[in-house]
Amino acid sequence: MKKWQAMTASILTASVLFMGVPSETSAQENLNYSIFELPKSGYLNQGARGENVKILQRSLNKVVSAGLAVDGVYGAKTKNAVLKFQKTSKSLKDTGIYDRSTHKALSEKINSFGFSSAVLKEGSRGEAVRTLQKGLNNLGYGLKVDGSFGPKTKAAVIKFQKRFPELTPNGIFDAKTKNLLDKVLHD
């Protein structure tokens, strides 16, 4: 093989390998929960029309029981439903405009399982543990949903963690485990 052929083959092989190998995703990365791609302006407001508005209306019906007709028209009722949703969060401005922060919050509400950001471990109690138990049960772990993080819940968390080499199988429901469980439940 001539020098230039060998060089071309090397470059081509390197390019294919570089472009064709998917990058690894870390369990620590923030998940993208987006329900649709926002327009370049970064917002939807009264007068907007289309498929994204329909998705928004369905989502608002689910999250705040808005009772909207899913017609793809961002009218006064859709604006009021957006306001209603914005008022459920201290971090959102009550504008009735569906902006980036409202989009992020609604998307996460729709597409995440709703796990608490608190670290849960044996001895933890409450609604956050109930949510964890429900999530694990969706994967077939058969836990009693009692809100008490006991030995069976710990064993189920360890069993889940053992499925993924990037997790430490310690039975503690930390941020890495939460992100990966959320991803598994929604993929």
Side-chain angles (χ1 to χ4, degrees):
M1 192 182 275
K2 294 185 181 176
K3 231 180 192 180
W4 69 270
Q5 288 173 318
M7 177 82 96
T8 303
S10 296
I11 292 171
L12 241 146
T13 303
S15 297
V16 167
L17 286 174
F18 179 72
M19 299 302 281
V21 176
S23 63
E24 288 185 30
T25 355
S26 166
Q28 289 182 323
E29 289 179 21
N30 287 334
L31 300 176
N32 179 7
Y33 294 104
S34 186
I35 54 178
F36 61 82
E37 189 77 26
L38 276 173
K40 287 182 182 176
S41 65
Y43 65 90
L44 293 172
N45 62 356
Q46 206 162 351
R49 296 174 175 271
E51 194 59 36
N52 288 346
V53 176
K54 286 181 181 179
I55 295 168
L56 169 61
Q57 290 167 328
R58 280 192 290 274
S59 299
L60 290 167
N61 284 342
K62 183 176 179 183
V63 173
V64 294
S65 303
L68 296 170
V70 181
D71 58 6
V73 178
Y74 196 127
K77 290 180 181 178
T78 301
K79 178 182 178 182
N80 289 336
V82 170
L83 269 168
K84 185 176 180 180
F85 174 72
Q86 289 170 331
K87 289 179 183 193
T88 66
S89 173
K90 293 176 186 174
S91 65
L92 297 176
K93 294 179 185 172
D94 303 345
T95 62
I97 296 171
Y98 189 74
D99 57 14
R100 290 184 199 283
S101 55
T102 306
H103 180 65
K104 182 177 188 265
L106 183 62
S107 295
E108 196 166 312
K109 187 86 168 169
I110 288 291
N111 290 326
S112 74
F113 202 77
F115 294 119
S116 167
S117 58
V119 173
L120 303 173
K121 57 187 176 187
E122 198 166 10
S124 296
R125 297 186 172 288
E127 194 57 40
V129 176
R130 263 193 251 324
T131 304
L132 167 60
Q133 291 167 329
K134 288 175 189 173
L136 290 167
N137 282 348
N138 278 5
L139 299 178
Y141 287 94
L143 296 170
K144 180 179 178 184
V145 180
D146 60 4
S148 178
F149 197 125
K152 290 181 180 176
T153 302
K154 180 178 180 178
V157 171
I158 289 171
K159 191 173 180 182
F160 174 79
Q161 290 170 328
K162 284 182 176 179
R163 293 174 49 192
F164 303 94
E166 64 266 35
L167 297 178
T168 304
N170 57 11
I172 297 172
F173 190 65
D174 56 11
K176 282 177 78 171
T177 306
K178 174 187 101 61
N179 285 346
L180 202 47
L181 181 56
D182 217 2
K183 183 172 178 14
V184 168
L185 288 168
H186 286 90
D187 278 351

